[in-house]
Amino acid sequence: MNDDRITYDQLSPLIDGRDRPAAHAIDNAARGVNATERTIRQITAMIRAKLDQIEQRLDYGLSLNELGELQRMPADLDRAITLRHAHWQVLGALLTDTEITSLQPAQAAPAQEASTR
């Protein structure tokens, strides 16, 4: 399981005690975040693999027929990122700042510290 996924343990306290429509919207948005996280990871892995294949073909002086496949992948990635952002906007509209913070991955703080150095 990935650390950046919204788990049931994180989600359950946010849904308990809410009216049914709000709980349903929060649950659907969290599921959407998780689904798009998976899609983003799959697409980036495919892009990495395709770039490796292209680099190998360049090394061997072969044709680059795979470029057509590569050209559509960024659009798929962009759609997944946009959809993920939309799900987070729904969560942002329904949850408090403290509740949103509780959904953030535990490892996000150290990663941000490393990037600011």
Side-chain angles (χ1 to χ4, degrees), residues 8 22 27-28 35 62 65 71 82 95-96 102 106-107 113:
Y8 177 78
D27 184 55
N28 280 341
L62 302 173
N65 295 332
Q71 288 173 338
T82 301
L95 302 174
T96 66
S102 74
Q107 294 180 342
E113 288 175 17

Side-chain angles (χ1 to χ4, degrees), residues 85-96:
H85 183 69
H87 289 303
W88 274 112
Q89 285 182 323
V90 170
L91 289 172
L94 295 171
L95 302 174
T96 66

Side-chain angles (χ1 to χ4, degrees), residues 43 46-47 50-51 54 64-79:
I43 293 170
M46 289 186 318
I47 290 172
K50 187 55 67 180
L51 288 171
I54 290 170
L64 300 177
N65 295 332
E66 291 85 5
L67 288 175
E69 292 177 39
L70 181 63
Q71 288 173 338
R72 73 168 170 74
M73 289 180 189
D76 294 342
L77 181 61
D78 188 47
R79 278 190 291 279

Side-chain angles (χ1 to χ4, degrees), residues 1-95:
M1 173 140 65
N2 296 323
D3 290 333
D4 58 349
R5 296 178 60 78
I6 299 172
T7 66
Y8 177 78
D9 291 339
Q10 290 173 303
L11 189 60
S12 182
L14 303 178
I15 292 176
D16 294 341
R18 293 208 197 280
D19 63 4
R20 188 176 175 149
H24 184 69
I26 292 168
D27 184 55
N28 280 341
R31 288 175 189 267
V33 166
N34 288 344
T36 55
E37 290 282 348
R38 184 179 332 106
T39 301
I40 290 167
R41 288 180 186 283
Q42 289 172 341
I43 293 170
T44 56
M46 289 186 318
I47 290 172
R48 266 189 227 103
K50 187 55 67 180
L51 288 171
D52 287 344
Q53 288 175 359
I54 290 170
E55 189 172 315
Q56 286 176 347
R57 294 186 71 80
L58 279 172
D59 290 344
Y60 294 121
L62 302 173
S63 68
L64 300 177
N65 295 332
E66 291 85 5
L67 288 175
E69 292 177 39
L70 181 63
Q71 288 173 338
R72 73 168 170 74
M73 289 180 189
D76 294 342
L77 181 61
D78 188 47
R79 278 190 291 279
I81 291 170
T82 301
L83 187 55
R84 179 181 178 271
H85 183 69
H87 289 303
W88 274 112
Q89 285 182 323
V90 170
L91 289 172
L94 295 171
L95 302 174

